[in-house]
Amino acid sequence: MSDVEAAVTRAHRDEWARVVAALTRRFGDLDVAEEAAAEAFAVAVERWPADGVPPSPGAWLTTTATRKAIDRIRRESKRDDKHKEAHVGYADDPPEPPGAIDDDRLRLIFTCCHPALAMDARVALTLRMVGGLTMPEIARGFLVAEAAMGQRITRAKAKIKAARIPYRVPSAEDLPARVDGVLTVLFLVFNEGYLATGPGTDPVRRDLTAEAIRLTRLIHALLPDDGEVTGLLALMLLTEARRRARVSAAGELVALDEQDRGAWDTTLIAEGHRLVRARLASGVAPGRYQVLAAINAVHTSARDMRDTDWSQILALYDQLVRLDRSPVVALNRAVAVAELDGPEVALAAVDRLGDKLAGYHAYHATRADLLRRLRRSQEARAAYDRAIELAGNTAETASLTRRRDQLRP
């Protein structure tokens, strides 16, 4: 990849949501905003190699996208008032009252997470519009086909347009009804950054994790007594604290049991632990994100893998299973079972998930590791092969390949 191509890629990651948010505010139409943003990035790919990267790539992209949007409105105009609307686009927007949320990207998240949309549609649309995730990345996050995900997003945008759902700052009383969808979006954006699913991206996308944390901090400031907001922030901080230790110098993903714990960010860990303790002290029954944060708090409390309190982790997973019946949660629980009851018991639990997780690379990677520990090398090799085939992250593929090649015949 050339320097200019790399610059366009960085700009796409950093500026996509900002451009879409700016155009949505100006033109009030998600289709117009997304199409114009995509055209602007296409122009950048064409022009930047010849003209050079502009001093302010974000401003260049926003200006170009705005012109593309105005051109589209003009092309589609049939009445004078449409032409007037297009000319208005040239003028600076009047200042908007700050309202409950004074952040463009967060405003767009809450707009896409309108209660009129089904929850899965809210989340998928927001990941596309705000997170800048590609359709394949979103589809992998939902474990569904790319075509089905595309239809879901198209229907959500059409409903926003038909229902005239406005792009506006939600009032304080609007926030609780929308926050569940917003938290789901931020969690998935963070996960995509923490372990990118696309083969053409960096294994760990710091841009996504940092932005997810920033936005979650904003929501926490707005809703400081919401336990799940606090839980998600703690979960992100405790996970982000391990980032520097997650990819080796050779470009391999480093499993938790092999990480250099001295490289963990102690400041983030301390903050995450304080948030977890505050929720425990509240005496209110925890939700999903709070339990996940507590699990990560236990992991980050151990100075060595051998010091991990697996009994506590399993008890927390038992609590989480009652809140979230996802097969992925059951798969992660099996990892704790393996530490306490042995790999054979855990493998039986994992095998029961085969029908639901056959297309999920982590299912096969977990099976492979358990089979390796049971010295069933031939079966482990087949499971590693399937995990490698399904994994999109280059660092994870490298790690799985090494583990497979270390198997004894």
Side-chain angles (χ1 to χ4, degrees):
M1 179 182 289
S2 70
D3 291 343
V4 173
E5 289 172 329
V8 175
T9 300
R10 284 194 301 272
H12 186 279
R13 293 180 185 176
D14 296 341
E15 301 296 337
W16 170 265
R18 197 168 287 112
V19 173
V20 170
L23 268 62
T24 302
R25 171 190 276 189
R26 177 167 289 191
F27 300 105
D29 189 310
L30 285 174
D31 273 328
V32 169
E34 182 180 22
E35 183 175 311
E39 289 180 6
F41 281 101
V43 173
V45 171
E46 179 183 341
R47 292 189 183 175
W48 289 8
D51 301 342
V53 179
S56 178
W60 188 98
L61 289 164
T62 300
T63 300
T64 303
T66 299
R67 290 171 180 163
K68 294 292 183 182
I70 292 170
D71 288 344
R72 173 176 168 173
I73 291 173
R74 283 175 168 163
R75 288 195 305 269
E76 296 178 352
S77 294
K78 299 296 183 183
R79 297 171 300 188
D80 288 343
D81 60 342
K82 286 283 188 177
H83 285 288
K84 290 177 184 177
E85 181 183 350
H87 284 291
V88 169
Y90 281 114
D92 289 336
D93 292 330
E96 186 176 297
I101 300 175
D102 190 19
D103 183 272
D104 242 6
R105 192 175 297 194
L106 199 56
R107 270 193 292 255
L108 185 55
I109 289 179
F110 273 98
T111 299
C112 292
C113 288
H114 195 280
L117 301 175
M119 180 63 79
D120 59 352
R122 295 183 218 175
V123 174
L125 176 64
T126 314
L127 288 172
R128 177 70 193 123
M129 294 293 105
V130 184
L133 272 62
T134 65
M135 209 69 73
E137 289 170 341
I138 299 170
R140 284 192 290 268
F142 279 82
L143 303 180
V144 300
E146 183 179 342
M149 183 53 63
Q151 292 172 358
R152 189 178 298 179
I153 290 174
T154 298
R155 287 195 297 267
K157 287 192 290 185
K159 185 161 187 178
I160 283 179
K161 195 168 186 177
R164 298 180 180 276
I165 294 173
Y167 173 75
R168 65 174 179 81
V169 178
S171 62
E173 54 268 23
D174 287 336
L175 298 182
R178 301 191 193 185
V179 74
D180 287 348
V182 172
L183 294 183
T184 301
V185 166
L186 293 175
F187 181 55
L188 290 174
V189 169
F190 182 86
N191 282 347
E192 179 62 29
Y194 179 69
L195 185 62
T197 58
T201 63
D202 294 333
V204 177
R205 292 181 56 179
R206 171 76 176 116
D207 58 312
L208 291 182
T209 59
E211 183 63 2
I213 290 172
R214 184 185 75 83
L215 294 171
T216 305
R217 285 191 186 280
L218 286 177
I219 299 174
H220 184 248
L222 291 166
L223 302 169
D225 297 325
D226 188 300
E228 282 296 80
V229 174
T230 303
L232 181 58
L233 178 57
L235 172 61
M236 288 181 177
L237 295 175
L238 293 171
T239 306
E240 178 70 4
R242 305 197 299 266
R243 177 174 53 85
R244 289 198 300 263
R246 295 192 65 246
V247 179
S248 71
E252 283 190 21
L253 192 71
V254 182
L256 181 62
D257 60 341
E258 298 176 337
Q259 288 178 14
D260 174 12
R261 300 189 176 212
W264 289 359
D265 189 321
T266 55
T267 301
L268 290 181
I269 289 173
E271 184 181 359
H273 284 184
R274 283 197 301 271
L275 292 171
V276 170
R277 287 195 298 269
R279 290 312 307 165
L280 289 173
S282 73
V284 179
R288 174 173 175 252
Y289 296 121
Q290 294 167 78
V291 177
L292 284 169
I295 291 170
N296 276 266
V298 177
H299 278 301
T300 51
S301 294
R303 294 186 178 181
D304 187 277
M305 184 69 175
R306 292 167 295 186
D307 299 330
T308 304
D309 188 343
W310 288 105
S311 295
Q312 188 176 1
I313 288 177
L314 183 58
L316 288 166
Y317 269 117
D318 288 340
Q319 190 172 0
L320 183 59
V321 166
R322 292 192 288 271
L323 297 169
D324 184 352
R325 297 288 183 177
S326 163
V328 174
V329 171
L331 179 68
N332 293 332
R333 179 186 180 277
V335 175
V337 169
E339 297 299 324
L340 289 172
D341 301 328
E344 191 166 8
V345 176
L347 181 62
V350 169
D351 283 343
R352 288 194 290 270
L353 304 171
D355 291 343
K356 297 178 180 177
L357 296 178
Y360 184 42
H361 77 280
Y363 164 75
H364 298 281
T366 302
R367 284 194 78 248
D369 184 61
L370 295 172
L371 289 164
R372 176 187 59 80
R373 291 168 64 178
L374 291 168
R375 299 185 180 180
R376 292 160 59 175
S377 297
Q378 188 172 353
E379 295 171 84
R381 183 177 299 276
Y384 277 125
D385 285 342
R386 182 59 176 152
I388 291 166
E389 180 184 344
L390 292 171
N393 186 291
T394 53
E396 191 167 20
T397 300
S399 176
L400 291 168
T401 300
R402 176 178 58 82
R403 287 174 179 252
R404 181 198 63 190
D405 294 345
Q406 287 176 342
L407 288 171
R408 294 182 179 178

